[in-house]
Every structure is written in structure tokens, then in C-alpha cells.
Amino acid sequence: MSDARFARQVRLPGFGERGQERLAAARVVVVGAGGLGCAVLPTLAAAGVGDLLVVDDDRVETSNLHRQTLYGVDDVGRRKAEVAAARLSATAVVERVTAANAPALVAGATIVVDGTDDLDARYALDDACAAAGVPLVWGSAIGFAGQVGVAAPGAPRWRDLFPRRPHDGALDTCETVGVLPSVCTTVGGAMATEVLKLLTGIGTPLTGRVLVFDAAAATVRAIAYGAADDQGTSGDEGTMADIEEISPAETADLLRSSADVTLLDVREPWEAEIAALPGSVLIPLGELPDRIGELDASRPVIAYCHGGVRSLRAAHALQDAGLSVRSMAGGIDAWSRTVDADVPRY
């Protein structure tokens, strides 16, 4: 294949004509034609991906235009998938992704890209891709921060990062907190890079790691993670009615008063690398049954996690073991929102 359009990428070490042929033969399904999709789609189309599907049921709104660069004022009210597909010679699929239709959308794909802001769609795509053995490249962007990851056969999945769906009330959206447009560009570019790497075989894919980008602090970190011990799906599961909860503000007051308590973090190590409360003891929930003896049984425990679900389960186990324990409602995410905004959110 000799095409001057691709000359500068074909000459890259390990890319070559064979890599270009793989791009031309690939079928890439991009779910979400918003801020991330508008960065991913033009890059993949320009690189020579042969079959691009754009999946989105949303319409263009004026508030989208600062970051969704495939659209203009004249496109307001039109279907995003149809506008994007027409401009990129791609195929539009005007559907909202659900657990019911995700397997059909994934079928036949070489790679699936998830740029949605819909958690139900993300879990559905993760399940469908895992069942079909199709790599999933995902990303998120909100405020000044973004994340990118790759779920591939034999590697940790999206569910391994977030085994249980957070409660809707714990989630921010672009509508509520905003988003810096260049964050979408940066995160979408990284997602497109992962797709090109997977398709051509160059470089090391971002499997088993999550790339965390903080535009405000100008930092980028790649944090390793492994398979989760529990891959539940509902944020309501595991809630124990007999466990006493304590708010982040009340917890902060106790810590400021130097109360004799143990602050127990039951998240995974990769989460603690992103954000953790000072003085806390890290024992992941899956390891807790074997490590309860490490805790001082004479001291009350305040357990916390990301959104308050795992800490309830941990508190139940500690209560059964005879310890005095409370669970911090809303987890470290609520702490970031209500106590200390300098604690990074993820």
C-alpha cells in the first residue's frame, strides 16, 4: 500500500506497510460522539481506519460546541452520530447503548472505543467486549481531569477498577462542574493512540494501567491495577442497614480533635495512589478477612472507600469480628466534594 497520506506514520519503527494494512482492515466502533469522540474520530479516520462506526443517540446542543469540535452552530439540534459520520465517511448508529444491544454493537468489531459519560453504557460495553474477546479503549474527562485505560482479553477490565456502580448522587457531570475543552482533546488523543497501538502492534498498550491526567496540576500518572475481588454491578448491593454511618464533615471534625480512631481505607492500592486521607491504614476489602488482626481492636474504626459501598461491607465484617466501626458515607469522593476540594477526584 503506497499512499502519500500515510507516509509519515508508515515510516515509524514497527509500523510499516503492514501496520497500515491492519488499519485499513479494522472495524472500530466508537461509542460517544461528544467531547472525547470528537477527538478520537477524526484521528482514526485520518490515520486510515477502514471501517468506523459512530454510536450515539444524542443531539448537538449549543453548550457542546466549545469542546465538541466536529460540530458548528448550524448543527445544533441534529444527531451527533449522523453529523460526525457524514463528515468522516463513517457509519452512524443512532442508538443509546444498553445491556440489551451492546453485544450486537460489539459483534464483528476489531476494537471498541468508549467515550461516553453514561456509566450504565460503560458497564454494558465492558461486559459485551469481555464476552466477545474484543479490546475496549475507554476514557473520561470532567473538570480539569481525565482518565484513559484499555481492557483487553487476559487483562484487567473496567469492572476491575470500579466493581460496583456508584450511586448517581455521587457522580458529577460536565453539566454540573464543567470541563476544560483541551482536557477532552488530550484524553481523546491518548485514547486514539491506544487504538492505533493495538491495531498496528506498536508500543506497549495501556492494559492493566490507568492513565490519570490532571490539567490543573500539569501531571500525568500511569497507575497499575489488577483484577478485582468482587465484580458486583449494583451500588445498592452490600449495603448493611445495621451499620452506623458518619459523614465526611463529622469525620473531619473527629480527626481535627485528635480522637483516638483508626481511619481504614478499604480501596485498592491504585486508588490510594491517586488520593488518600492522611493517617489512614490501607487494607483492600478483598484482603480484610485475613488482615483484621492488624487493627487495634480497642480503637474505634472509621472505614472509607471511593463511594461508600465497599466501606459498608468492610464495616459489617469488622463488626462481626467485634470491633466498633462506622462507615464514612459517600467515601473519599464525598470528602473531596464537601470537605477538601484539594483531594483529587477520580
Side-chain angles (χ1 to χ4, degrees):
M1 179 186 298
S2 57
D3 191 322
R5 292 177 297 173
F6 309 125
R8 298 298 183 267
Q9 61 196 43
V10 167
R11 70 177 53 185
L12 288 168
F15 198 109
E17 295 287 352
R18 179 58 181 150
Q20 196 61 49
E21 291 170 1
R22 289 174 177 170
L23 293 184
R27 178 183 178 88
V28 178
V29 177
V30 179
V31 182
L36 297 178
C38 283
V40 171
L41 285 162
T43 300
L44 297 184
V49 171
D51 189 3
L52 269 177
L53 272 70
V54 187
V55 183
D56 199 309
D57 72 332
D58 202 5
R59 295 181 184 272
V60 179
E61 298 179 8
T62 301
S63 61
N64 300 150
L65 300 181
H66 80 118
R67 67 192 184 280
Q68 299 181 16
T69 53
L70 279 173
Y71 317 119
V73 174
D74 292 341
D75 297 315
V76 172
R78 300 177 62 191
R79 295 286 188 182
K80 292 180 183 179
E82 294 175 345
V83 177
R87 291 188 176 152
L88 299 171
S89 299
T91 300
V93 179
V94 182
E95 292 184 27
R96 184 181 187 85
V97 175
T98 66
N101 67 4
L105 292 171
V106 166
T110 312
I111 289 178
V112 174
V113 180
D114 180 0
T116 69
D117 56 3
D118 182 335
L119 274 184
D120 291 330
R122 179 151 294 182
Y123 281 110
L125 287 171
D126 184 62
D127 289 341
C129 286
V134 175
L136 174 68
V137 176
W138 58 267
S140 63
I142 190 166
F144 297 99
Q147 301 174 17
V148 182
V150 175
R157 299 169 49 187
W158 159 261
R159 278 194 183 278
D160 292 313
L161 279 170
F162 301 103
R164 293 179 175 271
R165 189 192 189 287
H167 293 287
D168 290 332
L171 302 175
D172 281 336
T173 66
C174 292
E175 288 78 7
T176 58
V177 303
V179 61
L180 194 68
S182 53
V183 171
C184 296
T185 306
T186 300
V187 172
M191 293 167 68
T193 296
E194 292 304 309
V195 173
L196 296 175
K197 286 160 59 179
L198 288 166
L199 290 176
T200 61
I202 60 173
T204 303
L206 196 61
T207 51
R209 294 176 294 155
V210 57
L211 194 71
V212 181
F213 171 63
D214 185 335
T219 60
V220 179
R221 292 181 291 169
I223 300 172
Y225 68 100
D229 296 300
D230 179 8
Q231 290 193 346
T233 58
S234 169
D236 294 325
E237 295 175 23
T239 300
M240 305 298 177
D242 58 341
I243 296 298
E244 182 181 353
E245 291 189 284
I246 182 172
S247 73
E250 292 170 322
T251 302
D253 289 341
L254 276 177
L255 297 178
R256 280 192 290 265
S257 70
S258 299
D260 187 27
V261 299
T262 298
L263 192 58
L264 175 64
D265 183 352
V266 297
R267 299 172 300 153
E268 296 300 313
W270 71 267
E271 296 176 275
E273 287 190 45
I274 297 174
L277 302 185
S280 56
V281 176
L282 176 65
I283 302 180
L285 179 61
E287 300 176 15
L288 188 59
D290 296 327
R291 298 178 60 185
I292 288 180
E294 297 178 22
L295 299 172
D296 185 345
S298 67
R299 301 180 69 193
V301 175
I302 297 176
Y304 76 91
C305 60
H306 181 251
V309 175
R310 281 173 287 175
S311 60
L312 281 168
R313 299 181 63 216
H316 190 269
L318 294 176
Q319 185 171 272
D320 286 347
L323 279 72
S324 173
V325 58
R326 286 179 285 181
S327 172
M328 191 171 79
I332 196 171
D333 191 67
W335 179 285
S336 300
R337 289 185 284 112
T338 63
V339 175
D340 185 359
D342 289 334
V343 173
R345 299 188 65 191
Y346 63 96

